[in-house]
Every structure is written in structure tokens, then in C-alpha cells.
Amino acid sequence: MIHKCVNNFISAEDNFNISNALITTTFPWFRLSSLIENSVFYHELIKDKKIVSPFVDVISPLTKKISKDVYGASCFYIPHQSNNKEVLKSDPGDKPGITKVIYYPFSSDGITKFKIGKTFETVSNTAIFFDSLLQTAETGPTKDNYRLIIELFFK
């Protein structure tokens, strides 16, 4: 079930700072090995409640706003695509009771598709809260140069 979609989730200043941090040349991105042809990149910040990246402070406005234990957090960079096919699919996992948040630091023309038929456009400073057992897929941008997505999991 999709719990809620929140526009203007954090302050405009915090959103600006997150967006800028993710597009600097010093923020490291890693290619997703299973999706090499689609050039999707990621950066894992938190895994199994443990900080695994020195860049975790980039998302501190999000974790403070959520104010619950974050089990996992990753950022995704999807460069321009020639068509709007799905380039990133979520694994629904096996952990009932976990809420997933998809956060968009800035607007782009890619969309988030839920297997249940619901779609969301990429609108800056928007957070979508839903049961992590729901399967999602992301499309790449066909007009914009790139699309950024942040995923967080909490209980």
C-alpha cells in the first residue's frame, strides 16, 4: 500500500544542498553491475542500520525528518536514456513492516512505476512513503540529462 506522497518534504535550502552535493564531481558514483547497458549508478550510504559511506551526511535532512531508525539508504543516478524503458527495478524483499521512501531531489522527466499500476512523476523535494514489499520500477529521463533518486528504508 502507498501510504502517502509528500510535496515540499524538507526545506528548499536542504533540498538544494542535497541536490548540489549529489551532482558535484567529488561525490562518488558506482555502476550497477547488473545494469551496465543502462548506465545506472548508485551510492550506498546505510546498510543494515550501519553507515557504510562517509557521505551519509548528505541525506541528514531526510533522516532527521523521518526521525526513525533507517535500515538502509542509497542514491541513484540515471543518465539520459534514448527511450523511457525501465532501467531500475526494486526487489520487494522479504522484510514485512519496513517502510520505503523514494525521494526526488529535483524534477526530471523519468517516472516511478508501481506494479499495482500507480505512477509518480519526478517532482523536486517530493517523498513517497510505501510498504517496502511493493515492487517499483524507474524509467530514465529522455529529455533531461539525468535523474536522481534517493531511497530510504525504515521501521
Side-chain angles (χ1 to χ4, degrees):
M1 172 166 71
I2 298 172
H3 300 290
K4 62 183 171 180
C5 177
V6 182
N7 294 319
N8 300 311
F9 184 63
I10 57 177
S11 74
E13 179 182 0
D14 285 340
N15 184 68
F16 177 82
N17 291 337
I18 289 172
S19 297
N20 278 347
L22 295 179
I23 61 171
T24 64
T25 56
T26 57
F27 190 85
W29 291 101
F30 307 94
R31 188 183 300 266
L32 278 174
S33 60
S34 62
L35 297 168
I36 290 174
E37 67 181 298
N38 294 321
S39 299
V40 175
F41 299 87
Y42 78 101
H43 187 106
E44 192 166 35
L45 301 165
I46 300 170
K47 182 176 184 175
D48 298 325
K49 290 188 181 181
K50 294 183 176 85
I51 295 171
V52 295
S53 170
F55 292 88
V56 73
D57 288 342
V58 167
I59 63 163
S60 63
L62 300 174
T63 57
K64 286 177 185 171
K65 180 82 178 208
I66 291 169
S67 70
K68 300 201 184 236
D69 286 339
V70 176
Y71 284 71
S74 296
C75 304
F76 295 92
Y77 176 98
I78 306 171
H80 177 83
Q81 305 289 311
S82 59
N83 58 45
N84 63 354
K85 69 180 180 176
E86 296 173 355
V87 295
L88 181 64
K89 293 184 181 182
S90 72
D91 180 4
D94 60 354
K95 296 182 180 173
I98 302 293
T99 299
K100 181 176 179 179
V101 178
I102 293 178
Y103 179 79
Y104 307 123
F106 72 91
S107 297
S108 174
D109 65 304
I111 61 170
T112 299
K113 298 179 181 179
F114 283 82
K115 192 172 183 178
I116 59 172
K118 183 89 174 151
T119 62
F120 287 90
E121 293 182 13
T122 307
V123 177
S124 179
N125 201 4
T126 296
I128 306 163
F129 291 74
F130 58 97
D131 187 320
S132 68
L133 297 177
L134 286 177
Q135 190 172 7
T136 61
E138 305 293 343
T139 66
T142 58
K143 297 175 187 161
D144 295 312
N145 291 331
Y146 56 88
R147 182 174 179 222
L148 293 175
I149 300 166
I150 299 173
E151 293 183 349
L152 301 104
F153 296 85
F154 68 90
K155 191 168 190 174

